[in-house]
Amino acid sequence: GQNIDQPTEMTATEGAIVQINCTYQTSGFNGLFWYQQHAGEAPTFLSYNVLDGLEEKGRFSSFLSRSKGYSYLLLKELQMKDSASYLCAVRTPSGGSYIPTFGRGTSLIVHP
Amino acid sequence: DAGVIQSPRHEVTEMGQEVTLRCKPISGHNSLFWYRQTMMRGLELLIYFNNNVPIDDSGMPEDRFSAKMPNASFSTLKIQPSEPRDSAVYFCASSPGTGIGTEAFFGQGTRLTVV
């Protein structure tokens, strides 16, 4: 089976930095995605890691350690609009391919 | 491109009725996914297609659920008969393939309520 764990909810202050962790135990691995989902909307792609290390993209960065089965999403200079659910998804084997398997998501609340 | 298009956006139906959800993937994408999202279970994969062929339907909850992809630009997810526990948001997503780094693009979802 596939096990992908994230905290259910986090809160942070506008302007601060927050780190959302994701740990996984899966039958295979071929990369990890982070998606953002605002309430009532579709998930949208944020980042992708396949090798160990940090990927930076503006205010958002994502880190991966394959040996530890661990990733985090780092959000800097938080804005109110960053209040959303953040989904970690691991590419896991299926039918000869790899497809995204999602964690339950972390609901981030940014307050003034 | 208009993105992945799903219809209807909202569906309210009575228990026992047939429900059909529709999806038009992004043109040129050859992988299509159906996901279901609930508070309890998060985003679960129901089935995915590569080049219109169903590859893995192990996530389909039971025989009441069926999915088809008759051509590269259209897919349906059917529930017959529907039950209240089927109430959820159903997302369709497409991607250019299943190779490294190919992200999935999601439609706006269909919010299904079975009463």
Side-chain angles (χ1 to χ4, degrees), chain A residues 30 33 35 37 40-45 48 50 87 91 93-104, chain B residues 9 33 35 37 40-43 45 48 50 55-56 91 98-108 111:
Chain A
N30 193 257
F33 295 99
Y35 280 79
Q37 185 178 23
E41 297 184 9
T44 55
F45 170 80
Y48 175 72
V50 66
L87 306 169
R91 280 170 52 85
S94 174
S97 296
Y98 286 85
I99 61 165
T101 299
F102 285 82
R104 291 192 183 183
Chain B
R9 290 294 308 277
F33 308 85
Y35 287 91
Q37 188 173 42
M40 289 295 294
R41 302 174 68 90
L43 201 60
L45 179 70
Y48 86 95
N50 266 354
I55 302 300
D56 184 353
F91 284 103
T98 53
I100 289 179
T102 50
E103 73 205 64
F105 294 80
F106 283 78
Q108 290 299 303
R111 181 173 295 276

Side-chain angles (χ1 to χ4, degrees), chain A:
Chain A
Q2 320 294 6
N3 194 33
I4 301 169
D5 286 322
Q6 308 177 232
T8 302
E9 187 175 291
M10 300 181 70
T11 59
T13 305
E14 192 176 15
I17 299 173
V18 70
Q19 177 174 311
I20 302 174
N21 296 326
C22 172
T23 57
Y24 61 89
Q25 289 177 301
T26 57
S27 58
F29 177 87
N30 193 257
L32 186 146
F33 295 99
W34 283 96
Y35 280 79
Q36 180 190 59
Q37 185 178 23
H38 284 101
E41 297 184 9
T44 55
F45 170 80
L46 285 178
S47 68
Y48 175 72
N49 295 68
V50 66
L51 299 176
D52 290 351
L54 189 68
E55 295 280 343
E56 297 186 79
K57 191 185 293 186
R59 293 190 299 115
F60 293 4
S61 303
S62 56
F63 171 84
L64 175 67
S65 169
R66 289 171 295 171
S67 62
K68 296 182 179 178
Y70 168 68
S71 172
Y72 67 72
L73 180 69
L74 193 71
L75 292 75
K76 303 175 185 175
E77 301 169 17
L78 280 173
Q79 302 175 9
M80 298 297 289
K81 67 178 182 179
D82 297 330
S83 293
S85 182
Y86 291 86
L87 306 169
C88 171
V90 175
R91 280 170 52 85
T92 56
S94 174
S97 296
Y98 286 85
I99 61 165
T101 299
F102 285 82
R104 291 192 183 183
T106 299
S107 177
L108 174 66
I109 300 169
V110 180
H111 55 82

Side-chain angles (χ1 to χ4, degrees), chain B residues 5 10 23 33 59 75 79 83:
Chain B
I5 299 173
H10 302 274
C23 175
F33 308 85
S75 177
I79 308 172
E83 297 182 4

